[in-house]
Amino acid sequence: MSTQKFLLPDVGEGLTEAEIVSWRVAPGDTVEVDDVLVEIETAKSLVELPSPFSGTVGELLAGEGDTVEVGSAIITIADGAASAPAATAAPATVPEPEAPGGAVLVGYGSAGHVASRRRPVKAEARPAGTSAGVVAKPPIRKLARDLGVDLASVTPSGASGEVTRDDVVKHASQASVFRNIETPAWGEVREETIPVAAEESDAARPAASAPPVERAQPTESSDGREESIPVRGVRKAVASGMVRTAYSAPHVTVWTDVDASRTMELVKRLKSSPDFADVKVSPLLIMARAVIWAARRTPMVNAAWVDGDDGAQIRLHHYVNLGIAAATPRGLLVPNIKDAQDMSMRELARALQNLTTTAREGKSTPADQKGGTITITNIGVFGMDAGTPILNGGEAGIIALGTIRQKPWVVDGEVRPRWVTTVAGSFDHRVVDGDGMSRFVADVASILEEPALLLD
């Protein structure tokens, strides 16, 4: 009985290692050439590895979650008949035609790359309700999973019958805004930590508590042409925190324009409602609810990077202490609403009112500013459309709401005046990846566009 070892291939991305995500076979299974053995994750994508042998699965040499170097044996197949003649027990390196568009899908060996052996199939020949026969590159499959798109329902436009990125995005965009969205519950565990296998770096630590108010005393030059203002108190704490956060956390900002006309209609109705007669209602209330809702669907934005003795970790919060950046006579303060996820619309409106009133009166305490998990900065009150906010210390996300003003907007093919705003979000790229931050901002925008989604 002969046994073949399958070596982790070079998947054509210039990477040296990959993580075993899930095995699709178990010891004792019978496999044929091109049967998918395992799904691996590189730094950029998920890739399915087909078998170059037929035979019986012997031993899985790496476990799910293990990081394996390229060229290491990951599985043995007994009585394996190789898909191409091999001079040794290792898989033969036989270059094959590249996938449509010239991208190498799957390769192995050190002398060349091998593309996926799947043959193009016509869209009408695909089995209904399954993506098994769909021709699509691994990054496209991952995009479809992220967007919740069934590849079997997508009409391919590729030259060889493959599904393209545009096909997936177009299919996702055609879904109704009232699609059945399952929003996960917060759960009973308030926090968890996720170990980070990365090089040590400075943590985005919470800013120090603001010291007692100490009014700066300016000094003028002898000719009165200049003056120097001592940096003390809140201004000193803010400056220190901003520098620390800006240079310790890699910031990335994304933004999108939103038709917020229905948000403005909802605000108008709430203002006239007897239930909200004694509280202030503004678009910030809807924005706050949108951020809380979206954080449940993309939890990593409501997290923090923490450096510890055992290495870096990501601390994931299963609650929202919603920070609201407030410009006050003392300077910039970011008090937060504790456990905002448990509040009703009216309770949240009351909390926002109390928070802003207390901050403007200079009565926010250090406790009010500790423990925030994600922050909103309402730059729209200053007439600004958008910005690139800096993260509040110890948080992975901050959202900026721009001014809401009437602009021409295309609705059903016609240009109409609509209430339009811009939602921008800055994120710690160590914690949140591009798809996560984009999905989060898109979710916030979808609520401002259609607040009825909050009824979910």
Side-chain angles (χ1 to χ4, degrees):
M1 177 183 294
S2 62
T3 299
Q4 304 282 1
K5 288 185 178 181
F6 178 41
L7 310 184
L8 180 67
D10 172 5
V11 293
E13 301 183 21
L15 301 172
T16 60
E17 63 183 20
E19 179 183 333
I20 304 297
V21 176
S22 63
W23 284 103
R24 302 296 179 83
V25 295
D29 287 353
T30 300
V31 296
E32 301 294 335
V33 173
D34 282 348
D35 285 351
V36 175
L37 297 175
V38 64
E39 185 179 46
I40 65 171
E41 182 175 19
T42 69
K44 293 295 184 182
S45 64
L46 290 171
V47 179
E48 293 177 341
L49 299 184
S51 175
F53 309 114
S54 61
T56 302
V57 175
E59 183 180 1
L60 306 183
L61 303 177
E64 294 182 354
D66 289 351
T67 298
V68 184
E69 293 184 358
V70 168
S72 300
I74 59 174
I75 187 174
T76 63
I77 299 177
D79 289 329
S83 61
T88 66
T93 305
V94 183
E96 294 189 358
E98 291 183 341
V104 175
L105 298 186
V106 178
Y108 46 90
S110 58
H113 300 293
V114 178
S116 171
R117 296 180 175 86
R118 294 175 182 148
R119 295 179 176 85
V121 295
K122 295 182 179 179
E124 59 269 23
R126 294 194 303 245
T130 176
S131 62
V134 177
V135 178
K137 300 176 184 177
I140 304 305
R141 292 182 179 274
K142 182 178 186 300
L143 175 64
R145 284 194 293 268
D146 291 343
L147 296 179
V149 172
D150 179 8
L151 282 175
S153 64
V154 179
T155 301
S157 65
S160 300
E162 77 275 12
V163 175
T164 67
R165 176 177 292 275
D166 288 343
D167 295 336
V168 174
V169 172
K170 181 179 179 180
H171 187 89
S173 67
Q174 290 173 343
S176 168
V177 72
F178 287 103
R179 64 194 182 278
N180 183 23
I181 298 176
E182 181 181 355
T183 304
W186 285 104
E188 298 181 357
V189 179
R190 287 181 60 80
E191 287 190 347
E192 64 176 304
T193 56
I194 304 173
V196 178
E199 294 181 359
E200 293 186 2
S201 61
D202 293 336
R205 299 181 179 87
S209 301
V213 178
E214 183 176 354
R215 191 172 301 279
Q217 300 297 323
T219 58
E220 294 187 0
S221 60
S222 57
D223 57 6
R225 287 168 55 85
E226 296 178 345
E227 65 175 315
S228 299
I229 302 176
V231 179
R232 300 172 180 165
V234 171
R235 172 55 55 190
K236 184 176 182 179
V238 169
S240 176
M242 289 293 182
V243 171
R244 181 168 55 248
T245 303
Y247 288 95
S248 64
H251 285 54
V252 174
T253 305
V254 295
W255 59 87
T256 186
D257 292 336
V258 186
D259 178 1
S261 299
R262 288 178 176 170
T263 284
M264 298 301 284
E265 292 172 2
L266 176 58
V267 169
K268 183 177 180 180
R269 291 199 300 271
L270 292 178
K271 285 182 176 180
S272 61
S273 170
D275 293 336
F276 289 82
D278 59 341
V279 293
K280 180 179 179 181
V281 177
S282 72
L284 180 61
L285 172 61
I286 313 303
M287 180 69 166
R289 286 297 296 268
V291 168
I292 296 168
W293 182 83
R296 290 169 65 187
R297 289 168 40 81
T298 308
M300 297 303 285
V301 304
N302 190 49
W305 179 278
V306 180
D307 280 334
D309 295 336
D310 297 329
Q313 294 179 328
I314 295 173
R315 181 169 296 156
L316 192 60
H317 309 297
H318 299 297
Y319 60 93
V320 175
N321 288 349
L322 184 63
I324 305 294
T328 75
R330 296 175 59 193
L332 177 65
L333 301 179
V334 190
N336 61 79
I337 300 172
K338 305 294 193 289
D339 289 320
Q341 80 283 350
D342 294 332
M343 295 183 175
S344 65
M345 184 78 84
R346 189 180 187 283
E347 290 170 339
L348 187 58
R350 172 71 70 184
L352 284 169
Q353 178 175 300
N354 292 341
L355 180 148
T356 54
T357 299
T358 301
R360 289 169 182 169
E361 292 177 351
K363 297 179 180 179
S364 295
T365 66
D368 294 333
Q369 300 173 67
K370 287 184 177 180
T373 62
I374 191 169
T375 294
I376 297 175
T377 176
N378 185 10
I379 60 176
V381 297
F382 307 114
M384 297 295 101
D385 291 326
T388 56
I390 294 178
L391 293 166
N392 192 32
E395 299 174 13
I398 181 171
I399 300 295
L401 176 64
T403 187
I404 303 177
R405 66 176 90 231
Q406 282 198 317
K407 292 182 180 180
W409 195 263
V410 178
V411 180
D412 296 331
E414 297 181 1
V415 178
R416 302 177 186 176
R418 304 289 286 180
W419 292 100
V420 178
T421 188
T422 300
V423 177
S426 293
F427 303 90
D428 186 341
H429 214 326
R430 298 172 300 179
V431 178
V432 190
D433 294 327
D435 60 339
M437 63 182 73
S438 299
R439 183 168 56 250
F440 177 79
V441 171
D443 277 346
V444 172
S446 69
I447 294 297
L448 296 180
E449 183 174 314
E450 185 46 81
L453 286 173
L454 289 172
L455 298 177
D456 171 55

